[in-house]
Amino acid sequence: MAGSITVASVVGARPQFVKLAPIVKAMNDSDAIIHRIVHTGQHYDENMSASFFEQLALPPPDIDLGVGSGGHAEQTAAMLTKIEDYLLDACPDAVLVYGDTNSTLSATLAAAKIHIPVAHVEAGLRSFNRDMPEEINRLVADHCADRLYAPTPQALQNLAAENLAGRSVLSGDVMLDAILRNIELARSKSTALSDHGLEPGAFALATVHRPVNTTAEALQRLLQVFERTVERYLPVVLPVHPRTRAILDQLGYQPPEGLRLLEPLPYLDVITMIQAAAVVITDSGGVQKEAAFLQTPCLTLRDETEWTETVSIGVNKLVGEQGRDLLDAVSQFLESPGCFDEIARKKIEEHYGNGNAATVIVDDFVRWLS
Ligand code: UD1
């Protein structure tokens, strides 16, 4: 049976490279699978793509479709066409998709329409906010895919509520696998803190990229809140996503001292900074979880989250789009930083698993396909 099933993983955006890494290892450990990596090219800058492949020790993609940026329809249409061409040519036995990006949507649709079995890693996440392009992508991917790997019991419940229980499996979270595998390496290799003159526990790490926070008006409001945070509490370090960078350039924004704008960081530097920060401020889904796994309190710049467990456990707080309630929350978290007690740590494990999600997924996948 050695190498008898060919599986194509389709990825394209930064968070997907992180989710892919533990799966690649588990695929390589399985005799049954020949694994191919298809990069859509959704993210293409060195520091949004290549640096992740390098730091996560990922093999280079078997093919890069080079789709690049564009409006949703344009980007998705280009991906659909190119992924379908690839699948018709390479004829994999199955396709794996990850998360909630336009790459996820396109690969799921392309494969489903030509009857190649598709499995979705990180299925069942719901914000219940259809204004988010990611929510539409998740709904389509979950309803079109044939096998659904839910990272948490809540995600499994969401799938059941949409009559998808029959194809769902509780797997645990592959992002926890990635953290557990890489945090020691990050501690020994990353020089991010000294490079940027940062003391552990003495700064906030912020990330902002969602459309709702990156219109010119929204971003201006958020920057004002960051400036107040710096004046009243502590320095804020903001690695800037390209979408956000474009708006900052358009605004000609000059940050005050204490608000540090950086280029997007490589993975080992990001997890080092998340662990060392006094508090994380973010609108990213992945960063909310990474903060929980690394025991740093998180303030989420949104009105709702898919990762509701982090909020109910008490290690994450929703502070609203554009940081509406950020200032009060920063002071609360800084005054009582002990939210990661024994009970919270146990609950995080109960919800997200023990770091072997990739093995659960690959074992199930091989059984299911056979
Ligand atoms: C995408 C995902 C989002 C994920 C995020 C992680 C969708 C709908 N959204 O959002 O779920 O959380 O990735 O970063 O798929 N750009 C560059 N260089 C790059 C990549 C992007 O300059 O390497 C710029 C382009 O101008 C592009 C903009 O960033 O128009 C946004 O990129 P896009 O891939 O459309 O979405 P993200 O905001 O990155």
Side-chain angles (χ1 to χ4, degrees):
M1 155 104 167
S4 58
I5 304 169
T6 304
V7 177
S9 275
V10 183
V11 290
R14 188 166 63 168
Q16 293 170 319
F17 311 139
V18 177
K19 290 164 197 161
L20 172 68
I23 295 284
V24 165
K25 182 166 183 317
M27 291 273 187
N28 289 344
D29 290 345
S30 162
D31 290 342
I33 290 180
I34 299 169
H35 186 231
R36 304 272 181 246
I37 299 175
V38 179
H39 191 323
T40 62
Q42 177 170 356
H43 286 176
Y44 45 85
D45 288 345
E46 161 74 27
N47 54 18
M48 297 290 284
S49 175
S51 84
F52 280 73
F53 274 76
E54 188 201 315
Q55 293 215 324
L56 290 157
L58 281 165
D62 290 272
I63 185 166
D64 187 334
L65 303 176
V67 168
S69 307
H72 283 283
E74 185 190 4
Q75 191 180 52
T76 307
M79 285 186 202
L80 265 173
T81 311
K82 293 194 174 194
I83 294 169
E84 186 184 78
D85 285 348
Y86 169 82
L87 295 176
L88 289 172
D89 186 45
C91 296
D93 297 301
V95 169
L96 261 189
V97 299
Y98 303 77
D100 59 15
T101 72
N102 288 342
S103 298
T104 318
L105 169 74
S106 310
T108 309
L109 270 183
K113 290 227 172 167
I114 53 175
H115 314 300
I116 298 178
V118 196
H120 184 200
V121 175
E122 208 178 78
L125 272 295
R126 296 290 181 269
S127 64
F128 302 101
N129 173 1
R130 290 202 182 192
D131 288 342
M132 290 176 70
E134 293 85 353
E135 184 77 352
I136 308 297
N137 293 347
R138 290 179 198 121
L139 284 163
V140 176
D142 285 342
H143 284 262
C144 292
D146 305 284
R147 198 77 174 155
L148 303 173
Y149 294 110
T152 61
Q154 180 63 54
L156 197 67
Q157 212 171 303
N158 293 341
L159 292 168
E162 293 173 26
N163 294 322
L164 296 172
R167 32 182 142 145
S168 306
V169 176
L170 179 65
S171 61
D173 194 319
V174 287
M175 288 190 71
L176 178 57
D177 298 23
I179 286 279
L180 295 179
R181 189 157 309 139
N182 287 293
I183 192 64
E184 287 306 324
L185 184 65
R187 265 189 218 121
S188 63
K189 270 187 91 170
S190 171
T191 55
L193 296 180
S194 55
D195 290 351
H196 300 291
L198 297 168
E199 287 296 324
F203 66 96
L205 179 73
T207 79
V208 180
H209 79 280
R210 294 217 173 268
V212 75
N213 285 321
T214 53
T215 62
E217 301 72 33
L219 190 58
Q220 269 175 313
R221 269 199 288 276
L222 185 52
L223 289 166
Q224 281 169 8
V225 182
F226 284 168
E227 289 174 11
R228 296 290 95 74
T229 306
V230 169
E231 280 163 21
R232 291 191 200 167
Y233 303 115
L234 76 181
V236 175
V237 180
L238 177 67
V240 184
H241 186 283
R243 172 196 291 283
T244 315
R245 170 67 65 192
I247 309 296
L248 288 174
D249 290 349
Q250 195 183 306
L251 294 170
Y253 181 69
Q254 295 298 329
E257 203 180 329
L259 176 52
R260 307 269 299 277
L261 306 188
L262 309 181
E263 290 302 305
L265 295 169
Y267 180 67
L268 296 180
D269 289 349
V270 177
I271 62 176
T272 300
M273 288 233 197
I274 291 174
Q275 191 170 45
V279 62
V280 163
I281 303 168
T282 190
D283 62 6
S284 151
V287 174
Q288 289 172 57
K289 278 186 300 174
E290 287 169 335
F293 300 155
L294 294 168
Q295 299 184 31
T296 301
C298 183
L299 299 171
T300 296
L301 300 164
R302 290 175 49 194
D303 293 338
E304 77 287 302
T305 178
E306 302 77 22
W307 305 106
T308 49
E309 310 81 9
T310 56
V311 176
S312 58
I313 294 169
V315 298
N316 184 12
K317 199 171 163 99
L318 299 175
V319 293
E321 292 164 2
Q322 300 146 42
R324 227 176 23 241
D325 305 322
L326 180 68
L327 286 173
D328 286 346
V330 172
S331 81
Q332 278 165 22
F333 262 161
L334 293 180
E335 277 161 25
S336 53
C339 57
F340 283 94
D341 56 15
E342 186 62 24
I343 300 169
R345 287 202 297 269
K346 257 190 124 148
K347 282 194 181 157
I348 290 169
E349 196 175 310
E350 270 165 33
H351 287 286
Y352 293 95
N354 54 9
N356 70 349
T359 308
V360 172
I361 290 169
V362 171
D363 286 353
D364 174 82
F365 195 51
V366 171
R367 263 198 313 276
W368 174 68
L369 282 172
S370 313

